[in-house]
Amino acid sequence: MNPRDWYAGLAPRERQIVLVGGGVTAIIVLIGLLWRLEGVVTRATDRVEGKRGDLSWIEAVTPRLRSQPAARPGESLAIAIDRVAGESGLAATLAGIEPAQPGTVRARFNAAPFDALVICLARLQQELGASTEGADVTAAGTPGLVNATVVLRGH
């Protein structure tokens, strides 16, 4: 049966109920869609703000990275880690450097400022081509400080 024929076959009171019910249903669906759209827009806006914050931090750190001295010829990875950690303000937090697997070194940092640690690792990558093979990073109790064990491979 055709919906128009069905509707025409209804009593006038039933037609009115169908029209009001259809209108209310359409309004509820529209409100639901707008509510969901608002949530999607809010999440996207929050994500963009986070990315802007990341970009600001990268732009602020880039001049510091570029101003640091380059690697020294023939310098071992362990010595480079010690030197760069000292230049990055991490000398007091560097708990140890030890060989790991062949070609890798494990460096431990205790209560190190996270931002300084990231800058240190970026410098090692930029200056020596060192890559991070693995990292175990946990909060040190104070906001912004971390305990980290980083495995680096020299190139």
Side-chain angles (χ1 to χ4, degrees):
M1 175 182 262
N2 185 338
R4 285 186 187 185
D5 294 338
W6 172 81
Y7 183 73
L10 295 176
R13 181 178 166 100
E14 291 173 336
R15 284 188 212 148
Q16 190 176 21
I17 290 172
V18 168
L19 281 176
V20 170
V24 169
T25 301
I27 290 171
I28 289 172
V29 168
L30 183 63
I31 289 171
L33 289 173
L34 291 175
W35 190 0
R36 184 155 174 87
L37 179 62
E38 189 270 334
V40 168
V41 169
T42 300
R43 284 190 300 279
T45 302
D46 292 345
R47 197 171 49 233
V48 167
E49 287 303 315
K51 298 294 183 186
R52 283 187 181 143
D54 293 345
L55 178 61
S56 296
W57 182 81
I58 289 170
E59 288 172 342
V61 168
T62 299
R64 265 177 67 188
L65 286 174
R66 288 192 175 140
S67 69
Q68 300 296 331
R72 296 178 175 110
E75 184 176 52
S76 74
L77 181 57
I79 292 171
I81 292 170
D82 188 53
R83 176 182 56 81
V84 173
E87 292 170 356
S88 300
L90 296 172
T93 66
L94 182 59
I97 301 171
E98 57 194 36
Q101 298 174 358
T104 64
V105 174
R106 179 179 295 116
R108 290 187 327 272
F109 297 88
N110 293 328
F114 179 77
D115 291 348
L117 182 60
V118 170
I119 291 170
C120 177
L121 294 174
R123 283 195 51 209
L124 288 166
Q125 192 269 329
Q126 179 185 17
E127 294 176 13
L128 298 173
S131 60
T132 303
E133 295 263 314
D136 180 25
V137 181
T138 57
T142 304
L145 299 182
V146 295
N147 296 324
T149 301
V150 183
V151 178
L152 297 163
R153 177 174 297 281
H155 292 281

